[in-house]
Amino acid sequence: MPPVPPVPPTAPDPDSGPLQPRTAAEGRIAILTQYFATDAVNHGDVASFPPPIALDELPFAERRRLLDGLLTIRPPRPIDDEDMRDELDEMLTHESAERAAEAGDPDALALPVLATTHGVAGALGEHGALWEGDLTTLRAGAIVNAANGQMLGCRVPGHACIDNVIHAVAGPGLRAECAEYMAGRAERGEGPEPVGRAVLTGGYHLPAGHVIHTVGPVVDGGRVEKRHRTRLASCYRAILDTAQEAGLDSVGLCSVSTGAFGYPKEEAAPLVLETIGVWLAAHPGSELRIVICAFSAKDRAVYEAALAN
């Protein structure tokens, strides 16, 4: 069965009584953690779980991580309790807004374009932007998720991949919509989502209105071959085509395949810029703002080096 974040193996002394939540947020986390822990045991997601008194003794931050783990491993089944659905929606709405506010409420249409920041000429300079930040805080028509072929999120508690982070911030509704899409593929006798395509879903609790999911190529051993380059370029073309066809005004790109899938960032960045430039040349009437999101200063430096060449 999938792992969940660690919790105390035994309950504290019952005579001392549980710690009472000090804030509304703590009270909400306590209720949700207990509900989803019970739900996980009842459905066989986990074999067992500590009693409520043990959960009450956890510090707030650990209990929140535990709830995140429970939601990460949870299959895309309905949340039967309407009150719990409402509580979870309110919590995720508040947390998403708080994360965006702490990041300065970045807006794709307000970010400076490459013509201004890096002196890039032509359509790429007019429509493209390079931004270092958390993609899940960006207000945009859509942000991009580097998905796997199952299209249901990472499902590994605490894993820092973009797939996991996007699903965590968006909430269970995103996994449910992806599951519905995959069920349709299964009914048609189709298997996992192919590499190099793009699928549009809602954004749910993200500041972005939508998520565009794409499955990138896997590069074993860091050796990039022509087929990898072809498939990665196909991912980005499909992303831009999907955003354009949906009438979106902006899209925030993640760095597809450069994490666990092994595509070297230094080789991906020039290909991404070239693919965007070629796409823009083929769509001269497009007004799509294309934001390249660099998760870290190192990622930003890789793109700046590619822009300088």
Side-chain angles (χ1 to χ4, degrees):
M1 292 182 181
V4 295
V7 294
T10 58
D13 181 3
D15 294 335
S16 65
L19 295 178
Q20 297 300 315
R22 294 187 295 272
T23 67
E26 289 177 337
R28 174 174 286 157
I29 293 297
I31 292 169
L32 288 170
T33 302
Q34 187 56 51
Y35 173 80
F36 284 105
T38 302
D39 177 79
V41 172
N42 289 343
H43 286 88
D45 300 337
V46 295
S48 62
F49 221 80
I53 192 171
L55 297 179
D56 286 339
E57 288 290 341
L58 287 175
F60 175 78
E62 290 184 26
R63 193 181 301 173
R64 179 64 187 89
R65 284 195 294 270
L66 180 57
L67 175 59
D68 185 62
L70 288 166
L71 294 173
T72 297
I73 67 171
R74 191 175 192 272
R77 59 174 173 263
I79 300 172
D80 296 326
D81 189 311
E82 184 177 351
D83 290 338
M84 290 300 101
R85 289 201 306 271
D86 291 344
E87 288 284 353
L88 182 60
D89 281 341
E90 289 179 17
M91 183 196 77
L92 292 172
T93 296
H94 172 77
E95 288 184 345
S96 181
E98 191 173 60
R99 286 163 59 92
E102 289 176 355
D105 287 316
D107 189 314
L109 296 179
L111 296 174
V113 294
L114 291 171
T116 301
T117 60
H118 293 77
V120 176
L124 180 60
E126 295 173 4
H127 293 272
L130 177 61
W131 173 70
E132 180 184 339
D134 180 351
L135 190 59
T136 65
T137 67
L138 182 66
R139 186 175 303 281
I143 61 170
V144 172
N145 177 33
N148 58 47
Q150 302 306 312
M151 285 282 291
L152 296 178
C154 168
R155 309 294 299 280
V156 178
H159 195 245
C161 67
I162 191 65
D163 196 11
N164 201 5
V165 174
I166 286 176
H167 274 270
V169 177
L174 179 58
R175 181 168 292 153
E177 183 175 353
C178 289
E180 183 177 358
Y181 167 78
M182 292 303 289
R185 287 186 58 82
E187 289 174 3
R188 296 187 297 271
E190 300 170 342
E193 177 67 13
V195 173
R197 303 200 322 177
V199 178
L200 182 73
T201 67
Y204 297 89
H205 294 284
L206 291 159
H210 298 83
V211 178
I212 299 176
H213 308 259
T214 190
V215 181
V218 176
V219 178
D220 294 322
R223 181 180 176 182
V224 178
E225 300 175 2
K226 181 179 179 179
R227 59 190 175 92
H228 298 126
R229 291 189 286 271
T230 299
R231 291 172 181 174
L232 187 61
S234 177
C235 287
Y236 283 97
R237 283 195 303 271
I239 289 164
L240 299 176
D241 285 342
T242 298
Q244 181 76 5
E245 290 166 5
L248 306 183
D249 58 12
S250 55
V251 59
L253 306 178
C254 70
S255 191
V256 177
S257 283
T258 61
F261 282 15
Y263 205 117
K265 296 178 181 181
E266 293 78 8
E267 294 196 41
L271 177 64
V272 172
L273 293 172
E274 179 184 2
T275 303
I276 295 172
V278 170
W279 187 89
L280 286 169
H283 298 79
S286 176
E287 297 183 358
L288 186 66
R289 176 66 58 85
I290 304 167
V291 178
I292 300 167
C293 177
F295 181 73
S296 67
K298 180 179 179 180
D299 295 334
R300 184 186 184 97
V302 169
Y303 269 100
E304 288 183 330
L307 285 166
N309 293 332

